[in-house]
């Protein structure tokens, strides 16, 4: 006998990487040396101070109990100072910050907090798959907004306005998901884009959820936050994370920042779902947030070195790409003769033992693209090139 699943479990597909990485592990278990350029899982270490703070905190007898639902004061203050020094944004550490178990978790809590069944959600036609999956899980109507490749993968605001105006009576468009520096295309963030987004949100009474995990990775100018725009906190929530920028993806530390009413509302939902994180993680995260500019520059210098190797890797595959991308990946177009991206990626995995992400997992517009991660030493990327050319 099998107890029937909820509709949402029937309708939701297992996360692509959850399935594909199991295949990668099977190949590894069979003795194959897989070069994994598929996922954005930083292989570099967190700062030494971060590890030191973790160890020191774990030795305290008071470190092991339940923690406050909205995290420790120290972590929230650390996030507030980080926002001030990194983005020039003032946040009240008591009322405007909510630590999360990674920003991925925040997508679910925000969706549960704001979306009624059939409410509209705008997601980029290429983007982090969880925006769409979670919106669908909570019964919202997902509408994709176009990204204009000619304009550097910027949102098509006119099309977005049409989508919003077409919302059926009683089912308003409630949330707009935005993410710049953009994953997967690497399009940089600009202040002008954020200003436009905030104006759009005010005009149409929509909540902008800006996902900002890549602002410090290979950024060509000072990192920016949506919350730096006047009036952003009235209509916007920003998600941020230590996963990529501080090499702490497995630690599961992120947060959201906004005005008090939104933070309180998400906390109401979240406090019924999970509890405060392990104190040593939060203490160490607060330490990580003090990493110097030099530390970030050193990390970016490593990625810069890998970038050249990834460009050569993509040249070997016959792919084309732009050289102004920011973040942890390079987005590249497949050569015209390739018929199916899925077959191309599978062939690379099975025959050359190299894993890269097919673009379609970020939306159908990605059919003719692949995404290559920088989270691999350049020597391994060069081995990949040899396998392709050899
Ligand atoms: C755009 C984007 N948002 C959110 C996440 C999730 O990050 P976290 O580890 O903070 O949950 C990722 C991870 O790949 C991402 O690419």
């Amino acid at each position: 006998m099998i107890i029937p699943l909820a509709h949402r479990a029937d309708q939701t597909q297992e996360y692509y990487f959850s399935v594909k990485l199991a295949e990668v592990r099977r190949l590894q278990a069979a003795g194959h040396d897989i070069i994994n350029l598929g996922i954005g899982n930083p292989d570099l270490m967190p700062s030494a101070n971060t590890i030191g703070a973790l160890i020191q905190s774990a030795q305290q007898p008071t470190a092991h109990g339940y923690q406050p639902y909205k995290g420790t004061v120290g972590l929230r203050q650390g996030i507030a100072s980080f926002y001030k020094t990194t983005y020039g944004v003032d946040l009240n550490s008591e009322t405007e910050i909510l630590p999360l178990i990674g920003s991925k978790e925040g997508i679910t809590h925000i969706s549960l907090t704001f979306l009624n069944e059939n409410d509209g959600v705008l997601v980029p036609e290429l983007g982090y798959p969880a925006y769409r999956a979670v919106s669908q899980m909570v019964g919202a109507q997902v509408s994709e907004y176009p990204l204009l490749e000619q304009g550097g993968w910027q949102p098509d605001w006119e099309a977005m306005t049409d989508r919003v105006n077409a919302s059926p009576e009683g089912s308003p468009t409630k949330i707009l998901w935005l993410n710049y520096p953009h994953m997967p295309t690497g399009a940089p963030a600009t202040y002008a884009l954020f200003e436009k987004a905030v104006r759009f949100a005010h005009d149409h009474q929509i909540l902008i959820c800006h996902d900002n995990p890549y602002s410090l990775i290979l950024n060509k100018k000072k990192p920016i936050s949506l919350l730096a725009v006047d009036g952003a906190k009235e209509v916007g929530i920003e998600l941020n994370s230590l996963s990529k920028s501080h090499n702490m993806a497995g630690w599961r530390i992120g947060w959201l920042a906004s005005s008090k009413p939104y933070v309180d509302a998400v906390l109401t939902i979240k406090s019924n779902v999970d509890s405060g994180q392990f104190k040593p993680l939060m203490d160490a995260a607060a330490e990580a947030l003090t990493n110097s500019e030099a530390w970030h520059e050193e990390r970016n210098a490593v990625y810069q070195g890998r970038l050249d190797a990834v460009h050569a890797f993509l040249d070997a595959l016959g792919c084309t790409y732009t050289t102004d991308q920011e973040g942890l990946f390079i987005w590249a177009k497949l050569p015209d003769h390739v018929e199916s991206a899925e077959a191309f990626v599978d062939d690379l995995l099975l025959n050359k033992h190299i894993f890269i992400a097919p673009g379609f997992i970020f939306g159908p517009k990605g059919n003719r693209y692949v995404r290559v991660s920088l989270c691999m030493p350049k020597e391994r990327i060069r081995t990949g090139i040899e396998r392709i050319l050899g």
Side-chain angles (χ1 to χ4, degrees), residues 102-105 128 131 179 183 211 213-214 241 243-244 252:
S103 46
K104 189 176 190 183
E105 187 212 19
Y128 188 52
Y131 311 143
N179 156 233
M183 197 292 297
D211 190 11
Y214 295 108
S241 164
S243 293
K244 321 289 182 173
R252 310 311 301 136

Side-chain angles (χ1 to χ4, degrees), residues 15 17 39-41 101-107 127-131 179 181-184 211-214 239-244 248-250 252-255 328-329 362 371:
Y15 199 55
F17 286 114
I39 55 167
N41 188 12
I101 306 172
S103 46
K104 189 176 190 183
E105 187 212 19
I107 297 169
Y128 188 52
Y131 311 143
N179 156 233
H182 181 249
M183 197 292 297
D211 190 11
N212 198 12
Y214 295 108
L239 289 170
N240 215 322
S241 164
L242 296 185
S243 293
K244 321 289 182 173
M248 293 165 72
R252 310 311 301 136
I253 292 264
W255 62 87
L328 213 44
F329 309 96
F362 308 104
R371 189 197 74 172

Side-chain angles (χ1 to χ4, degrees), residues 169-344:
E169 189 80 21
S171 301
T173 301
K174 286 283 271 301
I175 290 184
L176 156 61
W177 284 100
L178 197 71
N179 156 233
Y180 286 86
H182 181 249
M183 197 292 297
T185 67
T190 64
Y191 192 74
L193 165 68
F194 288 165
E195 271 186 323
K196 210 177 238 181
V198 170
R199 211 174 324 124
F200 181 88
H202 275 280
D203 289 349
H204 298 283
Q205 296 181 16
I206 290 177
L207 181 74
I208 312 174
C209 296
H210 181 240
D211 190 11
N212 198 12
Y214 295 108
S215 66
L216 293 162
I217 315 275
L218 290 182
N219 49 307
K220 315 249 179 328
K221 53 184 175 358
K222 198 171 157 44
I224 52 175
S225 156
L226 179 88
L227 301 182
V229 176
D230 271 351
K233 281 188 209 166
E234 289 162 34
V235 288
I237 295 179
E238 185 157 274
L239 289 170
N240 215 322
S241 164
L242 296 185
S243 293
K244 321 289 182 173
S245 53
H246 293 71
N247 302 334
M248 293 165 72
W251 292 53
R252 310 311 301 136
I253 292 264
W255 62 87
L256 61 80
S258 184
S259 55
K260 181 176 187 304
Y262 295 148
V263 170
D264 286 350
V266 179
L267 177 62
T268 302
I269 294 288
K270 178 174 155 64
S271 62
N272 281 284
V273 177
D274 53 38
S275 302
Q277 279 166 282
F278 185 40
K279 185 167 183 294
L281 285 187
M282 292 194 275
D283 290 346
E287 182 63 38
L289 286 163
T290 68
N291 284 356
S292 63
E293 244 175 72
W295 185 87
H296 287 285
E297 278 165 16
E298 205 175 304
R299 186 213 50 227
N300 276 339
V302 174
Y303 286 142
Q304 188 63 46
R306 294 174 179 186
L307 197 59
D308 298 336
V310 164
H311 287 163
F313 171 81
L314 287 165
D315 293 341
L317 288 176
C319 294
T320 48
Y321 48 86
T322 58
T323 52
D324 59 349
Q325 300 182 33
E326 296 186 358
L328 213 44
F329 309 96
I330 296 300
W331 181 244
K333 201 168 205 161
L334 289 166
D336 289 341
H337 65 81
V338 170
E339 277 175 25
S340 150
E342 188 164 22
F344 182 83

Side-chain angles (χ1 to χ4, degrees), residues 344-360:
F344 182 83
V345 165
D346 284 348
D347 178 60
L348 207 56
L349 177 59
L350 292 176
N351 297 318
K352 305 284 181 191
H353 298 138
I354 302 168
F355 176 47
I356 61 175
F360 64 77

